[in-house]
Amino acid sequence: MTQALHDTLLAGTASAQAAALARGDTTALALCDAAIARIEAQDGAINAVVVRDFANARLQAGAADAALARGERRPLLGVPITVKESFNVAGLPTTWGFEHARGFIAKADAVAVERLKAAGAVLLGKTNVPVALGDWQSANPIYGRTNNPHDLSRTPGGSSGGAAAALAAGFVALELGSDIGGSIRVPAHFCGVYGHKPTHGLLPAAGHDFPGFPPGAPNELAVIGPLARSAQDLELALDLLAGPIGAQARAMQVRLPPARPVQQARCLLIDSAPGAAVASDIQARLRAVADDLQASGCTVERGASELLPDLAASHAAYHRLLMTYITRGTPGAASMPAHEWLQLLDQRARVQAQWRRFFESFDALLLPAFGCTAYPHIPAMDWSTATVPIDGRPELLGAQSFWQSVATLPGLPATVAPIGRGSDGLPIGMQLIGPMYEDRTPLALVRHLEAFRAAAAA
């Protein structure tokens, strides 16, 4: 097995790695060792893979080789992966970056981890997060700070920042993240990789729990989902991870509808919003995407539509729900009356109904994933005052949650895919939002756009 082959595979997709293993081009153990060697050689400055389980990974790879030799074929058989530190993996720490959780060791795998392992994935370890998963940076007192592989002075995003950095650095081709405030989408944008925030509730989050505490009521905003180096791998992971658990699994099953026809897709582009600044080079890239979609046969309208919900009001409701969830259990945190909480949920239901009407006329919404490229590390984070430079002006960082709220409040699926680089040379991603439970539509639109661009460049 040549080093060049393994370098090519590690720089590629999980699907390509699985196919190479099935053909016998390499072995799971050789690919595992190549991934481990790359992490050991290159991760020091990046600090993405902070929990390493290499000895056990080699055992898993050996078992995968035995299965391949018996003729078994599974979607990820022998493919090395990592997962976000916040997912439970039996025998490994889960801390969410909290110093007080340093000694917590998970007793069982999260359901999503179980499903990836059942598909044959070889788990190398876990990737870094911010404390409480509460930042668009990934730093904590246990594991330190993760740096963006494209520029070590900048954030890889958060809270799935270590996950996106591991993908961008070529350590693995598939990762497992979570998202309540853009924690999949922002790192994908900052690191130039792909990420998918699924329809709310589609993927089971059991085992993605606050360390040391028993599972509680389901979160009305949070989801788990994949990050990868291609839209194809996002859909592969979505199929492996989706589906009910427990009592629901006895009565229900998931059958996602096929993607809507993408050649005639009707899209709406929004690239600006009051109070949520967007850099001009990001707007330019999004408008180029819209032009390409239009040239490929799609219809792209630009600007506001009367069918859209009130996005400013939606953002305000999202922020109140979010603050309640992330401060739950915090001593001294402000609370709200139960009826006020229920009114927010009623507002959310009305917004969901408005989105259903919107998607009767449109197939997807195209918008920024974030208003700037990866910004320099902010060592002493204060959400009330932190700013980022956008077109030479300091803009409030927290205002960027607007772009995350559009899909999160109503629970819609959203795919982020790289579309180029900014004037600073850093990656830019686009966010495509689709109809509820029609996760395949934004994923198919990404593939359609990439195929059109590849054909035009040939």
Side-chain angles (χ1 to χ4, degrees), residues 267-285:
C267 304
L268 177 67
L269 167 66
I270 297 177
D271 61 8
S272 63
V278 179
S280 56
D281 51 359
I282 291 178
Q283 290 178 325
R285 296 308 307 157

Side-chain angles (χ1 to χ4, degrees), residues 122-423:
V122 172
L123 183 61
L124 300 177
K126 302 171 75 175
T127 48
N128 207 21
V129 297
V131 177
L133 315 187
D135 198 351
W136 289 320
Q137 304 178 97
S138 293
N140 62 72
I142 298 176
Y143 301 117
R145 182 181 300 281
T146 299
N147 301 311
N148 192 313
H150 298 280
D151 182 340
L152 298 179
S153 71
R154 296 175 184 256
T155 175
S159 60
S160 308
L167 288 164
F171 300 154
V172 292
L174 183 65
E175 250 281 357
L176 182 61
S178 61
D179 190 311
I180 190 173
S183 288
I184 288 171
R185 291 165 286 166
V186 174
H189 162 71
F190 282 173
C191 289
V193 298
Y194 295 74
H196 184 71
K197 185 203 87 66
T199 295
H200 184 267
L202 180 62
L203 275 58
H208 186 262
D209 306 310
F210 199 78
F213 285 77
N219 188 304
E220 297 292 335
L221 299 176
V223 300
I224 69 166
L227 296 95
R229 292 210 207 96
S230 72
Q232 178 186 2
D233 280 355
L234 291 179
E235 189 159 8
L236 169 65
L238 186 72
D239 289 340
L240 294 173
L241 295 169
I245 59 173
Q248 285 188 335
R250 301 178 62 185
M252 303 177 185
Q253 60 180 356
V254 168
R255 188 174 63 189
L256 291 178
R260 297 184 181 191
V262 293
Q263 285 80 7
Q264 296 84 37
R266 301 155 296 174
C267 304
L268 177 67
L269 167 66
I270 297 177
D271 61 8
S272 63
V278 179
S280 56
D281 51 359
I282 291 178
Q283 290 178 325
R285 296 308 307 157
L286 288 168
R287 292 167 187 173
V289 166
D291 290 342
D292 285 346
L293 285 171
Q294 191 84 35
S296 74
C298 301
T299 300
V300 182
E301 296 185 17
R302 306 179 190 223
S305 165
E306 62 182 13
L307 294 173
L308 278 174
D310 183 333
L311 298 184
S314 293
H315 180 230
Y318 160 80
H319 188 263
R320 295 187 65 202
L321 287 167
L322 177 68
M323 289 300 103
T324 305
Y325 273 120
I326 66 176
T327 60
R328 179 172 56 173
T330 302
S335 185
M336 72 170 67
H339 285 172
E340 196 171 333
W341 175 260
L342 292 173
Q343 288 168 2
L344 284 172
L345 295 184
D346 288 340
Q347 182 179 350
R348 178 173 177 260
R350 290 191 292 271
V351 170
Q352 288 173 327
Q354 290 174 307
W355 278 112
R356 285 194 292 272
R357 289 192 290 273
F358 173 86
F359 284 116
E360 290 173 1
S361 297
F362 291 95
D363 299 304
L365 179 69
L366 172 62
L367 68 165
F370 206 82
C372 63
T373 56
Y375 53 85
H377 296 301
I378 303 175
M381 182 64 186
D382 181 346
W383 283 104
S384 65
T385 60
T387 62
V388 289
I390 297 181
D391 288 346
R393 298 183 302 274
E395 301 283 354
L396 283 173
L397 175 61
Q400 291 298 316
S401 66
F402 173 86
W403 300 112
Q404 317 312 315
S405 71
V406 176
T408 303
L409 178 73
L412 299 174
T415 303
V416 167
I419 55 171
R421 292 181 180 260
S423 57

Side-chain angles (χ1 to χ4, degrees), residues 81-136:
I81 69 166
T82 48
V83 300
K84 188 175 182 176
E85 198 269 357
S86 49
F87 286 91
N88 286 340
V89 175
L92 297 182
T94 301
T95 70
W96 289 42
F98 287 112
E99 179 66 49
H100 66 76
R102 183 184 289 270
F104 179 77
I105 302 297
K107 295 180 180 177
D109 291 341
V111 169
V113 174
E114 287 180 349
R115 290 180 175 179
L116 291 174
K117 285 183 176 179
V122 172
L123 183 61
L124 300 177
K126 302 171 75 175
T127 48
N128 207 21
V129 297
V131 177
L133 315 187
D135 198 351
W136 289 320

